[in-house]
Amino acid sequence: MEVKVDSWDKLLGSVAESVLAGSDLDFDKALLLTGLPQGHTGALFNIANGVRRRFASQGADLCSIVNARSGMCAQDCSFCAQSRLYATGAPVYRMKTVAEITAAAHRAEAAGAHRFCIVTSGGALGRADFETVLEAVDRIRGETCLKRCASTGRLSAEQAGLLKQAGLNRYHHNIETAASFFARICRTHSYEDKLGTIARLKEAGIETCVGGILNLGESPRQRIEFAFQLNQLEPDSIPMNFLIPVRGTPLGGRRKMAAEEAAKYLAIFRLIMPRAQIRVAGGRSQTFAARPALPFKAGANAVLIGDLLTTSGPDSASDIALLKRLGFETDAVC
């Protein structure tokens, strides 16, 4: 996208003054920032980090996940290694036991996590697997200090209520991308399906974790649309993923996002959502391999630690040490 700006310094100064004073960043200025030349991104990162320090928590929220059921998914999400429609070589196994899930939670707590998320493949869980999640949530509540999270696909109002009763604190359900681009990456369920589950979670009193993935082929305008749609949903956590091109998926041939470009969008999202818990999630290791501190200097204040769904993650101790060096509080409160 070709952007014409008389003075990038003047635009950045105007944005900084406005957002730090508590005003909302408007769509047109956010869109202009997507064309920011590389020589000005450092100034943008400093502004975003200053906004984070003024409006958001000084603590870094650390979440760890367990892939409790892998593969065999009937959905056709173009980026996903776990869809049964694509030959990717990703692990395939049925639901782990309550004991296995609880043991993973204990390991996560020992590694320094503040919260633990039970993740399953597929559009929605059947009764037996859902009962396993309920029991695991209850056990983790009784045996650890971890906040309990889950990501098990679409939910009914009844299921949301049962999760709340079991002790679930937060539920993860990404909208993935802008509504205008969603049908390009998934046809087996709709953007409206996503919004319905999020609404049922809020009605049940469960916190929401809603984000998506950058670099799916969306335009800069659609990335800003995505950010403003997230802002309207007011999730408690916004996980930002960066596409890991997986061979065998429709997006397997895409190039990974450059670190500077990825951090630029983290910073813009921070300016749009000053108080948000913006979590760096999938693709972090690959995107920021040479510059692991960059996303946190650009306004992120939460992170997934440990292994991800089908790939290994960075060493948790190294992540925590990095965050401490950057001035974040990382100690869990039991």
Side-chain angles (χ1 to χ4, degrees):
M1 181 183 70
E2 185 178 351
V3 178
K4 293 183 179 180
V5 174
D6 292 335
S7 169
W8 288 108
D9 290 336
K10 185 176 179 180
L11 174 63
L12 288 169
S14 171
V15 166
E17 182 179 2
S18 175
V19 177
L20 286 168
S23 298
D24 294 335
L25 180 65
D26 66 54
F27 187 96
D28 290 339
K29 281 190 176 179
L31 187 59
L32 283 175
L33 290 174
T34 67
L36 190 71
Q38 188 167 345
H40 293 268
T41 53
L44 175 66
F45 301 158
N46 288 337
I47 293 166
N49 208 25
V51 169
R52 190 267 306 169
R53 285 195 300 268
R54 175 167 295 188
F55 295 109
S57 169
Q58 301 308 302
D61 187 85
L62 311 180
C63 180
S64 184
I65 67 175
V66 61
N67 191 4
R69 189 181 77 176
S70 184
M72 305 175 288
C73 181
Q75 308 301 305
D76 70 348
C77 302
S78 301
F79 52 84
C80 186
Q82 297 192 73
S83 173
R84 70 186 184 195
L85 303 177
Y86 315 133
T88 65
V92 175
Y93 52 82
R94 297 195 179 278
M95 194 74 174
K96 291 187 175 184
T97 66
V98 171
E100 289 172 325
I101 295 170
T102 306
H106 282 288
R107 291 193 295 271
E109 185 173 42
H114 303 154
R115 61 180 69 247
F116 180 75
C117 188
I118 303 168
V119 186
T120 60
S121 62
L125 290 183
R127 177 175 294 181
D129 286 351
F130 187 73
E131 290 290 339
T132 296
V133 173
L134 290 176
E135 186 177 344
V137 169
D138 184 55
R139 280 194 56 180
I140 293 166
R141 174 174 59 176
E143 296 181 15
T144 75
C145 290
L146 293 165
K147 299 291 186 182
R148 286 80 55 196
C149 308
S151 179
T152 65
R154 295 187 300 276
L155 292 177
S156 67
E158 179 185 10
Q159 288 175 317
L162 290 170
L163 285 167
K164 177 69 173 179
Q165 291 174 24
L168 193 78
N169 301 108
R170 182 176 289 179
Y171 195 88
H172 167 260
H173 199 64
N174 281 350
I175 59 172
E176 310 301 1
T177 188
S180 64
F181 191 71
F182 188 88
R184 293 276 301 276
I185 61 162
C186 185
R187 292 167 297 279
T188 48
H189 58 274
S190 69
Y191 183 82
E192 289 68 28
D193 291 334
K194 297 276 192 181
L195 297 184
T197 290
I198 293 165
R200 288 186 281 275
L201 290 163
K202 288 178 177 284
E203 289 169 3
I206 296 174
E207 294 178 1
T208 56
C209 179
V210 184
I213 308 176
L214 296 183
N215 195 31
L216 300 174
E218 73 283 357
S219 67
R221 172 176 282 273
Q222 286 168 324
R223 291 174 182 170
I224 301 306
E225 289 174 7
F226 170 45
F228 275 82
Q229 286 156 4
L230 284 172
N231 193 34
Q232 289 180 343
L233 291 171
E234 297 182 320
D236 298 279
S237 170
I238 300 173
M240 295 298 299
N241 301 274
F242 305 93
L243 178 70
I244 304 174
V246 177
R247 183 177 298 178
T249 66
L251 298 180
R254 286 191 65 80
R255 292 184 178 181
K256 73 177 183 179
M257 203 171 188
E260 197 89 5
E261 182 78 352
K264 178 172 72 176
Y265 280 96
L266 285 175
I268 296 171
F269 276 48
R270 169 58 67 198
L271 297 179
I272 294 168
M273 298 172 279
R275 293 169 176 79
Q277 193 177 80
I278 297 180
R279 187 179 309 278
V280 194
R284 172 170 66 101
S285 298
Q286 295 84 350
T287 304
F288 300 106
R291 304 174 71 182
L294 186 57
F296 308 106
K297 291 181 176 180
N301 61 341
V303 65
L304 279 183
I305 62 171
D307 292 340
L308 303 181
L309 291 175
T310 60
T311 57
S312 298
D315 174 68
S316 298
S318 298
D319 277 342
I320 292 171
L322 169 65
L323 290 165
K324 286 182 176 179
R325 287 199 300 273
L326 293 173
F328 288 94
E329 300 169 6
T330 60
D331 293 337
V333 179
C334 187

